[in-house]
Amino acid sequence: MADPRPDDTGRERLLLPQMRLDDLLDEVQSRMATIMATRDRIHALLEAVITIGEGLELETLLRRVTEAAVTLVNARYGAIGVIGPNGELTRFIPVGVSEEQIAQIDHWPRGEGILGLLIKEPRPLRLSAITDHPESAGFPARHPEMRSFLGVPIRVRDDVFGNLYLSDKTDGDDFDEDDETLVLALATAAGVAIENAHLFEETRRRETWLDASGEITTRLLSGARTDEVLRLVARRARMMSEADLALIALPENDQERLVVQVCEGIDVTEGRGQAIDTAETLVGRVYARGEPRLADVTAHASRDAEFLRGLGLGPVLLVPFGPPERVRGVLVVGSRPGRSPFPESVQDMLFTFADHAAVALELAETRHTAERLSVLEDRDRIARDLHDIVIQRLFATAMSLMGAVNRISDRESTERVQRAVDDLDDTIRQIRSTIFELQHTNENDEENWLRAQILDVVNNSAGTLGFSPRLLLEGPIDSAVEPSIADQLLAVLQEALSNVARHARASHVGVDIRVRDEAVAVRVEDNGAGIPKQVRRSGLRNVRTRADQLGGEFETRPRDGGGTVFHWRVPLA
């Protein structure tokens, strides 16, 4: 074989180093590309950490974490599942699925299959194909198809808050170890941000609780009505717990039923006034035991939660209204079905809030009772003074005048003295009636006493009559007349005075209302023209109907000397 030519050998010596240099340059470029990609991913991770650190609203934070994870590893789908106290998914925040797709899915993931495996074993999990794993339970109907999977736990201190799920990279590759490392780092930062969000929410709730407690105490001590304060308690409880509905149920006199006194939020008309049995219901057991209770009433098939289900509630929190040894009722807050259960921090805060509100209410009622006792003592003293001093002096004056009548020879003067004696007798009877009412008052507030309401009707008629009627009240009007009869009596009195004002053209009207012989009678006299024959008598027919319904009697007749006598009488028994 002939030797190679000298120029060919030199060319080979030049090509070999050049080829090795090209390989080295290609390798450098490849490594540089890898370094650049790693740098970009590190920058993306830093940006994601900064993004999730902005804002302290938990719901917004969870969505930001999911979106950041999807962007970080170029995933098509992502979600965060929040784990509840029973190991179930209580919230699911998806990214990459449209609203139309969400509406078509039969149900949200419930923590079964692969997702359940992550809950039971909270450590990173990477899969090339979800359906190949033995724990896979498939997808709900009309759920988007997903192939590859990456899941990592999100820890808040030592507790697993939830899991971050990612599926299907956009380039079709599987998730690799670098993806797992990046998502783990993001999950660690998310855990810190979630803890901060929890602390922020708790601080805000405590501020709301302090404001609410202060406002309720102030309103009670300033003399606000109990029902007004109860509405404020329910409104504040609903605000603190971010619930859809809040109600307060208080026991009836027999303690066997609770009645919803206050209802704030959804379906308030359905809830208010409803009676709840204390023995066989969820609300009743909280009242009987004095212990708070968390529940989801959609999962209660029994009748014990039927009332709460009927209000359209799902998760509910029930706390006793007052300390365990003196429970005054039950405070219930609830959310619509599908919402997250109330966290333990809300339960603790609401329990303390209800306890504080009940104690403040009890103190206010004690103060009101003390004030009422003071008023009753004053009334008793006034009654004694009226009986021992005023009536005795009036009686002595009347007796003196009666003794002087026989010594007066002038007829006109005799009549005038006799009228004065009659007026003194009427005055003594009215004072005695007043003394009886002062010593035998009912439990209602003064503005609800029948005597006060009669005075209002008579005083209001002065504007249409042109003068003030004479009024005589006799007997235990406030204590003996039942509210149902009192309402009828006031309507009858109003009708009688209206008829006088419209038709009688009177210059004097006398109103006598007496409780005697287990009956109450209303007598209205006027000195007018009487009842015209052509006038419509529908009002008088109504008065007669009221008397008939109560087993009483009614009549109108001419008055001696002109005018009309209106007489309405019904039994009290």
Side-chain angles (χ1 to χ4, degrees), residues 184-215:
L184 272 172
L186 181 66
T188 302
V192 175
I194 290 169
E195 183 180 15
N196 290 337
H198 280 161
L199 292 173
F200 172 74
E201 284 190 354
E202 185 175 349
T203 301
R204 188 174 58 181
R205 283 197 188 100
R206 288 187 181 279
E207 290 178 353
T208 306
W209 171 69
L210 289 172
D211 290 343
S213 297
E215 183 180 5

Side-chain angles (χ1 to χ4, degrees), residues 84-85 90-91 205 237-246 293-297 313-319 331-336 339-348 350:
T90 59
R91 261 187 295 184
R205 283 197 188 100
R238 181 184 171 214
M239 184 188 307
M240 284 190 296
S241 58
E242 298 179 356
D244 295 313
L245 179 139
R293 176 77 182 272
L294 273 169
D296 190 335
V297 296
L313 298 178
V316 293
L317 170 58
L318 304 91
V319 296
L331 171 63
V332 182
V333 294
S335 301
R336 297 179 187 273
R339 286 195 60 184
S340 304
F342 296 97
E344 188 175 346
S345 58
V346 171
Q347 175 180 329
D348 295 340
L350 206 62

Side-chain angles (χ1 to χ4, degrees), residues 192 210 224 244 294 309 353 361 367 420 444 452 530 557 560:
V192 175
L210 289 172
D244 295 313
L294 273 169
R309 279 199 305 272
F353 171 71
L361 192 63
R367 191 195 67 167
N444 297 324
R557 64 176 185 272
D560 295 340

Side-chain angles (χ1 to χ4, degrees), residues 31-50:
R31 289 177 181 268
M32 286 294 294
T34 303
I35 292 171
M36 294 293 290
T38 303
R39 184 202 65 177
D40 292 342
R41 300 189 81 177
I42 293 298
H43 284 172
L45 175 61
L46 291 174
E47 289 177 1
V49 171
I50 293 172

Side-chain angles (χ1 to χ4, degrees), residues 1 10 20 65 180 345 397:
M1 175 178 268
R20 286 203 278 299
V65 171
E180 181 181 320
S345 58
T397 303

Side-chain angles (χ1 to χ4, degrees), residues 220-430:
L220 282 169
L221 296 180
S222 62
R225 295 171 59 91
T226 301
D227 56 348
E228 178 186 341
V229 175
L230 289 177
R231 283 196 298 271
L232 178 61
V233 170
R235 195 177 307 123
R236 287 293 199 166
R238 181 184 171 214
M239 184 188 307
M240 284 190 296
S241 58
E242 298 179 356
D244 295 313
L245 179 139
L247 62 87
I248 296 175
L250 302 179
E252 286 189 323
N253 294 332
D254 56 9
Q255 301 288 315
E256 293 182 358
R257 296 195 312 169
L258 296 168
V259 177
V260 178
Q261 302 290 342
V262 177
C263 195
E264 291 282 338
I266 59 173
D267 297 332
V268 293
T269 55
E270 294 291 330
R272 191 178 297 121
Q274 290 289 327
I276 308 168
D277 189 84
T278 57
E280 301 176 356
T281 61
L282 194 63
V283 180
R285 285 197 292 274
V286 171
Y287 172 73
R289 299 173 184 174
E291 299 175 353
R293 176 77 182 272
L294 273 169
D296 190 335
V297 296
T298 55
H300 278 254
S302 58
R303 294 184 58 188
D304 64 351
E306 185 176 353
F307 166 71
L308 297 175
R309 279 199 305 272
L311 295 177
L313 298 178
V316 293
L317 170 58
L318 304 91
V319 296
F321 196 63
E325 63 277 6
R326 293 192 310 279
V327 178
R328 299 172 60 91
V330 179
L331 171 63
V332 182
V333 294
S335 301
R336 297 179 187 273
R339 286 195 60 184
S340 304
F342 296 97
E344 188 175 346
S345 58
V346 171
Q347 175 180 329
D348 295 340
M349 196 172 303
L350 206 62
F351 180 74
T352 306
F353 171 71
D355 191 12
H356 178 89
V359 170
L361 192 63
E362 187 171 343
L363 288 173
E365 289 178 353
T366 302
R367 191 195 67 167
H368 178 71
T369 301
E371 291 175 350
R372 184 172 179 79
L373 257 148
S374 177
V375 170
L376 291 176
E377 289 175 356
D378 286 343
R379 291 166 64 91
D380 192 53
R381 177 182 54 79
I382 293 170
R384 287 197 308 270
D385 290 345
L386 286 173
H387 181 271
D388 297 342
I389 301 174
V390 178
I391 284 185
Q392 299 304 324
R393 289 185 178 180
L394 288 175
F395 188 75
T397 303
M399 292 294 291
S400 176
L401 290 174
M402 284 294 295
V405 168
N406 297 329
R407 301 177 186 177
I408 300 175
S409 57
D410 182 42
R411 180 181 178 84
E412 182 178 352
S413 299
T414 301
E415 290 177 354
R416 291 180 64 181
V417 172
Q418 186 62 52
R419 283 198 300 271
V421 171
D422 293 341
D423 288 342
L424 284 173
D425 287 341
D426 284 344
T427 303
I428 290 171
R429 281 198 298 271
Q430 290 196 50

